Amino acid sequence: MAATNTTSQPVESSAVAVAVSADEHAAKAINKRYEGLVMVRTKAIKGKGAWYWAHLEPILVHNSDTGLPKAVKLRCSLCDALFSASNPSRTASEHLKRGTCPNFNSVPKPITSVSPSSMPPLTSPSSSSHYHHNHRKRSSSGGGRSGSGGGRGGGGGGGASSSSSFQVPPLAIVDPSRFSVELAYPPAVSVATAVTPSGGGSGSLYSQQQHLMLSGGKEDLSALAMLEDSVKKLKSPKASPGSTLSKTQIDSALDYLADWVYETCGSVSFSSLEHPKFKAFLNQVGLPPVSRREFAGARLDAKYEEAKAESEVRIRDAMFFQISSDGWKSKNYGHGGENLVNLSVNLPNGTSVFRRAVFTSGSVPSKYAEEVLWDTIRDICGNAVQQCVGIVSDKFKATALKSLESQHPWMVNLSCQFKGINNLIKDFGNDLPLFKNATENCLKIANLVNKKSPIRNAFHKYQLQEYGQAGLLRVPLNVCDESSHTLVEDVLSSARALQLVLLDESYKIASMEEQIAREIGEMMRGPHFWNELEAVHSLVKLIKGVAQDVETERPLVGKLIPLWDELRAKIKDWCSRFHISEAPVEKIIDRRFRKNYHPAWAAAFILDPLYLIKDTSGKYLPPFKRLTPEQEKDVDRLITRLVSREEAHIALMELMKWRTEGLDPVYAQAVQLRQRDPITGKMKIANPQSSRLVWETHLTQFKSLRRVAVRLIFLHGTSRGFKFNWSFLKWVGTHGGQSRVGIDRAQKLIFIATHSKLERREFYTDEEKDAELFAFANEAFDEDTVRMERLP
C-alpha cells in the first residue's frame, strides 16, 4: 500500500503540471481571440466593418481561482446582456434584429449602415403618396416581416392609412462613443428628427426610421449622450460597477494628493485642481472633487503646522547648528527682479532643516543681509546665540559675514564653494589672454554669420545637413560674463558646418567684397584658432564638473583644502596638455583661493580623523605637512579664538598631543572605511558621522580641543540647498507681493515643499529633472543617428 502511495505522488504532480500547462495554453488562445475581436470592433466603429459592432462589446472573463482568462463574451451595450463570442453575426441577428433587445428599436442605425440612395427627402403630409410610391419595395418588405404577426402589419405597404396619417417618433438616444457618425447635411436642411409614416410593427417602424439629424450638427452628439446617461440613471438607478472607497481611503488619497501639490511648489497650480479633466479623473477613481480654496486654505495651514512642528523638534534635539543662506544674488525671475533667499539649518548629524524664505528685489545691501541672518539666529535659539556655530552663504563674505564674525568671536562664517569655484570661469575670462582671444574671435564669426543673410542661409543649410537642426550662434549680452562660454561652445560644436560655409559660393562672394570676411576665413582655416577654442572649452568643462560635484556631494569644511588641491592638479594637467604657461594660470587660481579661504578650512582639515595619514611607525597623524606655514598659524589662532581665554593654552597643548600621537589605528581605519555608492559608482565614506562621533565618545582626553573639533568638522562648505522652480518664483514676482495673504501662503507652501525635499535629500527641481530626461533622449537620438550613419 505504501509503495502504491509513493508511486502515485509523481504521477499526480506530473498530472497537475500538465493541467497547468494546458490552462496556460488555453488562456493564451482566449487572449488572442479577445484581442482579435477588439481589433475587429475598433475597425468597425471607424466605418470599416459590420454595423452590429456598435452595440456588441468583447469582454474577457477570468477564472476566480487562477486569475487566468477562461472565456470571451459579447456584451450588449444597450441592455448589458452577455452572449457567447463564437458567432457575433448570429448573435446580432437573434438579439438585435429579431427584437430580443428591449432598447435596440430606440437606437437609430449608424449612418454607415444606411446607403445614401436609400435616404428619402423629407416630405410634408401632402406628398405622402409620392413618398410611399418611391419606397414601395422597402415598405412591402417591412410589411412582410411583420405580416407574420397579423394582417395589420401586412397592410403597411399600401393602405390608405399610410398616406393619411404621419407620426414623429421620439428623439432617438445616441451614444457617440459607440459608433462613428459622419453627417452630410444638405445646405438648406436643418431638422431635429426624420418623419416616418405610421403603421406597421416595431420592425417596420425601425426600418422606416432614417438617421437622426440634429440642428447643431455633430457637436450635439455629446450633449445627447449626456441626456441619455441622465435618462438611464433616472429610469434604472444602480450602483457604479467600480468598488466604493471607504472614508479612510479617501482621506488618505487626498492627503497624498495634497503632499504632491505642495511639494511641487508652484509647478502644479491650485486652479488646476478644478480642471474638468482632473475632476473627471477623480470621479473615475472614486474620489470626490476637491476645492482649490480648501487646498490653499485650511489644508495648507494644517500641513504647514505639522511640518513646522517636526522642524522645531529636530532643531531642539541638536546641541548646535549652522545657518545656510543661498539666493542673495538676483536672478531676475518674474517681474521686477523678485528673488527668493533660502535660509536653512545644518545639523551636526548631517541633515538640514528649512527655516524660512526671504523675498528680495534687485540688489540687496549687505547691512540688510546681516540683519536678516542675525534675526534668523535669534528666532531659533533666543538668547542662547552660541548654539549657532556659524553661517555659510553665497554672498557677503567680506561684509555681512565678516562683520558678524568680528562681533561674535565664536562664529565661523564661510563662503559657498560652489559659487567660489564657478567664479574661476569669470576670472579666467577676465584675466587670461587665451579666453579673451577665443571669445573675441568667436564674436567676429557670430556677427558675420548671424547678420549676413547669404552666409546665414548657407550656415543653416549645412547645419541641417550635418546635425539635423539649424539656429543662430548665441551671442551673450556681456562678453566678460561666464555666459560667453555658450558662444565658444556653439562655434566649436558647429565646426563642420562652418568649414563647409567657407567652401560655399556665398562666402566666396562675401570674401571678395569685405575684408573682415577674408580675415575670418583665414582664421578658421588655420589650426591655431580651433586649438584655442578646444583649450577654453576643456577648461570650462573641467571647472564646471568640479562645481557640479561640489553641488551634489555638499562637502564639509575639512574637505575644502584637498578639493582645491585636486582642482589645481587638474588645471596643471590641462596646461601641459594644451601647452599653456602655468604662471598666469596659477596666479588666477591663487587669487580666487585667497578670496574664498577661511582659517577654519585648515583647522577642520587637521582635526577631522578622515584625513589622518599613516606614517612609517603605523600611527595615524594629522596632515600638517600639507599645510603652508601660514595655514599652520591659522590653526593655532582659530582654536584659541574658539575657546575661552583661560583654556587657550590647554587647547594648544592638546593640539600638540594630537599632532604627535594622532588616533588609534583601529578607530582611524573605521572612520576612513569606504564603500561604493550604488548610484554613482564612486567610493564614499561608509559612515560620514564617525569623524564627529570619535571626538565625542573616544577622544575624551582632549577636554578643550574636542569641543572645538565637534563644532568645526560638521560645518558645510557650500550653501547650495533646495532650488525653487522658475514658475513659482515668477508667480511670487507677479502675485505674491500684492497682498499679505499671498505672501503668507507662499511662505507656507515653500516651507512644506522644502521641508519634504530636504528630508529626502532631493536638491534638484522638476525642471532640471525634465531637462536631464530630454538630454538623455537627445543623446540616445544622437547615438542612433551615428549608428545609422556607420551602417554600410
Side-chain angles (χ1 to χ4, degrees):
M1 186 67 178
T4 304
N5 292 339
T6 304
T7 56
S8 65
Q9 288 177 359
V11 174
E12 291 175 358
S13 61
S14 61
V16 170
V18 170
V20 171
S21 177
D23 289 345
E24 290 178 351
H25 285 302
K28 289 181 180 178
I30 292 170
N31 261 325
K32 190 173 181 180
R33 170 66 173 166
Y34 170 73
E35 292 171 358
L37 290 175
V38 169
M39 183 174 63
V40 170
R41 182 176 186 266
T42 303
K43 290 183 177 179
I45 288 175
K46 294 179 179 178
K48 299 179 181 179
W51 62 271
Y52 51 77
W53 283 115
H55 311 297
L56 298 181
E57 178 184 1
I59 299 294
L60 196 61
V61 181
H62 292 80
N63 192 317
S64 58
D65 296 330
T66 63
L68 296 174
K70 68 176 184 179
V72 181
K73 298 287 187 181
L74 292 178
R75 184 179 70 87
C76 176
S77 59
L78 302 175
C79 64
D80 292 336
L82 292 178
F83 305 94
S84 170
S86 59
N87 195 333
S89 176
R90 185 177 62 188
T91 300
S93 299
E94 294 178 353
H95 181 63
L96 298 176
K97 285 188 176 180
R98 295 184 183 178
T100 307
C101 179
N103 299 326
F104 180 67
N105 289 338
S106 63
V107 179
K109 289 185 180 180
I111 196 167
T112 54
S113 66
V114 181
S115 63
S117 61
S118 65
M119 295 181 66
L122 293 175
T123 60
S124 63
S126 61
S127 60
S128 58
S129 59
H130 178 70
Y131 173 87
H132 181 72
H133 176 74
N134 286 346
H135 293 268
R136 179 175 300 169
K137 182 177 179 180
R138 182 173 179 183
S139 300
S140 61
S141 64
R145 280 194 303 271
S146 49
S148 60
R152 181 185 175 101
S161 61
S162 296
S163 60
S164 61
S165 64
F166 287 82
Q167 135 186 10
V168 178
L171 277 175
I173 298 175
V174 183
D175 184 355
S177 65
R178 292 173 183 157
F179 50 82
S180 62
V181 180
E182 296 180 5
L183 297 177
Y185 295 109
V189 175
S190 177
V191 294
T193 57
V195 181
T196 59
S198 63
S202 60
S204 175
L205 177 64
Y206 178 78
S207 65
Q208 296 294 332
Q209 184 176 337
Q210 302 303 314
H211 183 69
L212 184 65
M213 301 177 68
L214 303 172
S215 59
K218 289 197 290 186
E219 299 298 328
D220 277 353
L221 291 177
S222 59
L224 194 58
M226 293 177 62
L227 176 62
E228 177 191 16
D229 291 338
S230 301
V231 171
K232 282 186 175 180
K233 290 177 181 178
L234 292 172
K235 282 185 175 181
S236 55
K238 57 181 180 180
S240 60
S243 58
T244 304
L245 299 178
S246 64
K247 185 178 184 303
T248 304
Q249 290 174 317
I250 291 175
D251 292 342
S252 177
L254 293 181
D255 278 341
Y256 282 125
L257 175 63
D259 290 341
W260 173 67
V261 171
Y262 299 148
E263 289 176 20
T264 59
C265 201
S267 293
V268 177
S269 67
F270 290 111
S271 298
S272 63
L273 297 173
E274 296 181 353
H275 192 281
K277 296 292 185 182
F278 187 72
K279 285 184 175 182
F281 165 76
L282 293 178
N283 181 60
Q284 188 71 20
V285 298
L287 293 175
V290 295
S291 168
R292 63 175 178 173
R293 293 187 179 276
E294 181 200 359
F295 269 60
R299 191 180 288 270
L300 177 66
D301 295 340
K303 288 286 183 183
Y304 168 72
E305 293 298 334
E306 179 184 343
K308 187 177 181 181
E310 291 179 6
S311 174
E312 294 287 353
V313 168
R314 292 170 63 182
I315 293 175
R316 283 198 302 268
D317 285 346
M319 295 176 62
F320 40 81
F321 59 86
Q322 178 194 34
I323 294 292
S324 174
S325 67
D326 176 64
W328 290 108
K329 185 177 180 180
S330 177
K331 301 177 180 64
N332 293 324
Y333 289 111
H335 299 278
E338 290 287 345
N339 199 38
L340 197 151
V341 179
N342 169 21
L343 292 164
S344 56
V345 180
N346 296 328
L347 302 178
N349 60 10
T351 62
S352 298
V353 177
F354 182 74
R355 187 61 189 179
R356 68 170 177 147
V358 176
F359 299 105
T360 62
S361 179
S363 178
V364 178
S366 62
K367 194 63 180 176
Y368 173 74
E370 181 180 339
E371 293 173 0
V372 168
L373 293 169
W374 185 246
D375 289 344
T376 303
I377 296 172
R378 293 293 299 269
D379 181 58
I380 295 173
C381 51
N383 293 327
V385 290
Q386 290 194 1
Q387 285 185 334
C388 178
V389 179
I391 302 168
V392 57
S393 177
D394 64 339
K395 200 176 179 183
F396 305 117
K397 178 183 184 292
T399 52
L401 298 185
K402 186 175 181 180
S403 174
L404 286 171
E405 193 172 288
S406 62
Q407 296 175 50
H408 312 287
W410 70 85
M411 294 186 71
V412 175
N413 297 337
L414 309 171
S415 60
C416 173
Q417 288 315 290
F418 175 79
K419 297 286 186 182
I421 292 174
N422 265 323
N423 284 338
L424 265 177
I425 299 175
K426 183 171 67 175
D427 295 342
F428 282 122
N430 292 333
D431 302 327
L432 195 64
L434 171 69
F435 272 65
K436 290 183 177 180
N437 292 339
T439 304
E440 290 174 359
N441 290 334
C442 288
L443 191 60
K444 292 177 183 177
I445 295 174
N447 288 332
L448 181 67
V449 171
N450 291 350
K451 295 179 180 180
K452 297 292 182 180
S453 298
I455 299 177
R456 181 176 65 245
N457 294 335
F459 180 58
H460 287 173
K461 178 180 71 175
Y462 293 120
Q463 277 183 314
L464 290 171
Q465 174 183 311
E466 297 296 320
Y467 317 118
Q469 57 185 1
L472 298 175
L473 298 174
R474 293 173 292 176
V475 179
L477 296 176
N478 184 3
V479 180
C480 297
D481 191 71
E482 64 181 84
S483 62
S484 62
H485 176 64
T486 58
L487 176 58
V488 175
E489 194 174 38
D490 281 0
V491 172
L492 194 59
S493 62
S494 303
R496 176 62 180 164
L498 290 171
Q499 293 288 347
L500 292 173
V501 167
L502 296 179
L503 303 176
D504 193 84
E505 192 65 29
S506 61
Y507 198 88
K508 293 178 181 179
I509 295 173
S511 298
M512 290 187 291
E513 295 175 351
E514 298 185 30
Q515 175 68 22
I516 186 67
R518 289 195 295 275
E519 293 176 357
I520 291 175
E522 292 174 2
M523 178 184 69
M524 286 197 294
R525 291 186 183 94
H528 180 70
F529 166 73
W530 297 107
N531 289 339
E532 283 189 342
L533 287 193
E534 181 64 31
V536 170
H537 176 70
S538 177
L539 182 57
V540 171
K541 185 177 179 181
L542 187 156
I543 295 172
K544 285 188 174 182
V546 174
Q548 182 65 39
D549 290 341
V550 168
E551 183 181 29
T552 303
E553 298 175 6
R554 305 178 75 209
L556 302 181
V557 62
K559 173 67 177 175
L560 298 183
I561 285 182
L563 177 69
W564 277 87
D565 288 345
E566 292 170 7
L567 180 60
R568 288 174 192 269
K570 291 179 180 179
I571 295 179
K572 188 174 182 180
D573 291 341
W574 171 84
C575 290
S576 61
R577 176 186 170 191
F578 289 98
H579 308 290
I580 307 296
S581 175
E582 293 184 14
V585 174
E586 188 67 26
K587 183 179 179 181
I588 294 171
I589 298 175
D590 285 341
R591 187 173 69 239
R592 176 53 61 182
F593 177 83
R594 287 194 298 270
K595 286 183 178 180
N596 288 272
Y597 173 76
H598 190 284
W601 292 17
F605 181 54
I606 292 301
L607 295 176
D608 195 337
L610 184 61
Y611 305 106
L612 298 181
I613 300 174
K614 184 179 180 180
D615 69 352
T616 55
S617 64
K619 293 182 179 180
Y620 281 80
L621 302 177
F624 276 94
K625 294 180 180 179
R626 294 183 60 178
L627 299 182
T628 65
E630 189 62 29
Q631 288 172 348
E632 286 192 34
K633 295 178 183 178
D634 288 339
V635 175
D636 295 343
R637 287 192 287 260
L638 182 69
I639 291 175
T640 55
R641 176 164 73 86
L642 295 179
V643 298
S644 63
R645 184 174 299 178
E646 293 76 16
E647 57 180 346
H649 68 286
I650 300 175
L652 291 178
M653 291 175 60
E654 292 176 350
L655 179 62
M656 290 300 299
K657 183 180 179 180
W658 172 251
R659 181 170 188 168
T660 55
E661 296 182 4
L663 181 62
D664 182 276
V666 175
Y667 278 90
Q669 292 173 17
V671 170
Q672 297 178 4
L673 183 65
R674 296 175 182 269
Q675 63 184 12
R676 191 172 300 280
D677 189 310
I679 299 176
T680 63
K682 296 180 180 179
M683 298 299 293
K684 291 188 176 182
I685 299 301
N687 183 10
Q689 307 308 317
S690 57
S691 294
R692 176 178 51 83
L693 295 175
V694 162
W695 277 103
E696 291 185 351
T697 59
H698 179 66
L699 298 171
T700 53
Q701 67 271 26
F702 299 97
K703 301 295 183 182
S704 299
L705 191 62
R706 65 193 287 258
R707 289 201 299 272
V708 175
V710 296
R711 288 171 67 92
L712 271 184
I713 60 180
F714 91 96
L715 296 176
H716 288 246
T718 175
S719 61
R720 297 292 283 181
F722 172 74
K723 289 179 284 187
F724 300 96
N725 291 322
W726 177 86
S727 56
F728 177 74
L729 295 175
K730 183 178 179 181
W731 177 86
V732 170
T734 308
H735 307 290
Q738 295 181 0
S739 67
R740 184 188 60 81
V741 176
I743 286 291
D744 182 59
R745 286 180 178 174
Q747 286 280 9
K748 291 177 179 179
L749 188 62
I750 292 168
F751 194 100
I752 296 169
T754 313
H755 177 76
S756 176
K757 295 270 186 178
L758 290 177
E759 271 192 334
R760 300 196 305 268
R761 299 186 66 81
E762 185 178 312
F763 303 111
Y764 294 99
T765 65
D766 294 337
E767 293 165 355
E768 289 174 322
K769 292 178 183 177
D770 290 344
E772 185 179 4
L773 175 65
F774 287 117
F776 285 149
N778 288 336
E779 289 176 6
F781 175 78
D782 292 340
E783 290 176 2
D784 292 341
T785 304
V786 171
R787 194 178 297 113
M788 291 174 65
E789 289 175 352
R790 291 176 179 173
L791 290 174

